[in-house]
Amino acid sequence: MAEARFSVEASHIMMFARAVGDANPIYCDEAHARETEPGGIIAPPTFVQASAQFQPDYRLRPKIGEPWFGSGATPSGTLMPPGDAPDDTDAKQEKKSGAAAGGLHAEQHFHYHRSVRPGDVLTMTTRPGKTWEKQGKRAGKLVFSETITEYRDSTGELVVTARGVGVRTERVIEQEG
Amino acid sequence: MALTKSELSVGQTHSAVVVDNLSRTQIVQYAGASGDYNPVHTDEVFATKVAGYPTVFAHGMLTMGLTGTMLTNFVGDGRLLDYGVRFTSQVWPGDTLTATATVVAVEEGDGEQEEGPVVILALSTTNQEGREVLSGEARARVDA
């Protein structure tokens, strides 16, 4: 079980809404938002996914002073480029793992207890859920694993419950999620 | 803004084009906002030469976020109770996505958090070739 704190800020909500192409002024205009049913700025429904910003060990964010596995002078900063490595094992291993970093995202479910608002300080508690396997036609063996995250406010009340399902594949697939 | 039970009928649909010609820059914008900088989404060199994909592709959560825009515009601000999706196909730069919600049922809520009626929606987002990239379901409070 892992725990982290997520301070919700209006500017972050605005940037997130822009990124998902949502022009609804309730995500950025306080004067407009006051006249709506929620009565103030709220976050778009998938916003809690941005809690990744606040997870200290999140591996899909470059960290200061640490090598990053994306490209720089070579196609990957932490692997020998494919073909250059003596036995190419790392590169092959990485290619086989689907998205090359943590597998692919298969499902995501949110249950909303209330809207997320600027000023909320959410505590995230993450625990593993079920794991199961399936045989895919093109991707080989598929291993699914579930993660459940609870977002609670400073009074301990549940705000959002999230359930994500990730999948790891044996082979790179282009059209099957 | 919010939906009313009497206006809703089973089978009724609401559709919107949620992105037209998805740009690599918008994928990068989503990476920055969400904090997911996985280079398969943001780094063409890594995505093609290391991970073996034809190009970068969108985060599943970007597709869910884009679809959420159609959904909240339909049900109204702060009305969602549940929103869940399966990512059924990858989304690539250049894709144009159309998101559709179909009314499956209108039910009474649980009487606690869900005072009043609740609409149950089936969700489907397709690309310009008609391929489904996301399927899902949502529940939202509606007015009596």
Side-chain angles (χ1 to χ4, degrees):
Chain A
M1 198 152 97
E3 208 177 270
R5 232 161 229 232
F6 177 9
S7 289
V8 177
E9 291 170 8
S11 55
H12 191 189
I13 291 174
M14 178 190 74
M15 289 189 282
F16 191 91
R18 284 178 179 169
V20 297
D22 201 325
N24 187 338
I26 198 169
Y27 303 131
C28 59
D29 180 343
E30 183 60 51
H32 166 87
R34 267 199 299 274
E35 304 304 316
T36 63
E37 185 178 74
I41 289 176
I42 59 172
T46 61
F47 178 73
V48 292
Q49 196 69 14
S51 61
Q53 303 273 18
F54 302 91
Q55 289 161 7
D57 300 326
Y58 188 64
R59 61 184 292 266
L60 299 176
R61 173 181 68 242
K63 297 195 188 58
I64 296 164
E66 291 179 24
W68 172 242
F69 68 99
S71 69
T74 58
S76 173
T78 57
L79 293 169
M80 297 289 280
D84 289 2
D87 64 0
D88 208 15
T89 309
D90 278 358
K92 274 189 192 140
Q93 210 57 46
E94 200 75 352
K95 264 194 175 182
K96 280 180 180 172
S97 70
L104 294 167
H105 200 170
E107 294 180 30
Q108 184 66 43
H109 304 265
F110 294 114
H111 179 64
Y112 305 101
H113 305 272
R114 69 163 172 84
S115 296
V116 173
R117 294 172 184 269
D120 278 333
V121 179
L122 303 177
T123 302
M124 307 172 265
T125 313
T126 300
R127 59 189 155 87
K130 289 179 291 187
T131 302
W132 65 97
E133 287 182 9
K134 217 170 96 177
Q135 198 62 38
K137 278 190 218 100
R138 279 180 284 176
K141 190 171 76 175
L142 305 166
V143 182
F144 294 86
S145 55
E146 203 177 57
T147 305
I148 293 135
T149 306
E150 288 181 349
Y151 298 83
R152 290 176 185 271
D153 64 19
S154 52
T155 68
E157 289 296 312
L158 270 172
V159 179
V160 179
T161 307
R163 180 168 63 87
V165 179
V167 58
R168 283 179 179 278
T169 61
E170 281 180 326
R171 292 189 288 275
V172 165
I173 41 171
E174 288 176 22
Q175 287 296 340
E176 284 180 336
Chain B
M1 192 64 196
L3 297 171
T4 303
K5 185 182 175 181
S6 59
E7 295 169 349
L8 291 166
S9 53
V10 171
Q12 177 186 342
T13 62
H14 174 78
S15 277
V17 174
V18 292
V19 68
D20 181 8
N21 186 12
L22 175 66
S23 64
R24 287 172 179 78
T25 306
Q26 186 168 358
I27 298 173
V28 168
Q29 190 180 18
Y30 184 77
S34 69
D36 179 349
Y37 295 92
N38 191 335
V40 297
H41 304 306
T42 57
D43 181 337
E44 185 80 14
V45 173
F46 180 90
T48 55
K49 295 192 175 167
V50 180
Y53 288 98
T55 181
V56 292
F57 56 97
H59 307 71
M61 289 307 296
L62 173 53
T63 306
M64 187 178 188
L66 292 164
T67 301
T69 298
M70 174 282 295
L71 186 57
T72 49
N73 284 342
F74 182 45
V75 303
D77 299 326
R79 290 286 181 134
L80 274 183
L81 295 165
D82 285 283
Y83 177 26
V85 305
R86 288 166 295 283
F87 304 108
T88 52
S89 197
Q90 275 162 315
V91 171
W92 304 98
D95 279 359
T96 293
L97 302 182
T98 303
T100 303
T102 304
V103 176
V104 173
V106 185
E107 297 177 349
E108 288 311 310
D110 65 10
E112 289 177 25
Q113 185 195 1
E114 303 171 4
E115 294 164 31
V118 169
V119 64
I120 297 163
L121 301 166
L123 309 173
S124 176
T125 301
T126 54
N127 67 15
Q128 64 285 356
E129 289 155 5
R131 176 189 279 272
E132 187 171 69
V133 296
L134 172 152
S135 69
E137 57 289 305
R139 296 172 70 252
R141 291 184 297 114
V142 298
D143 290 340

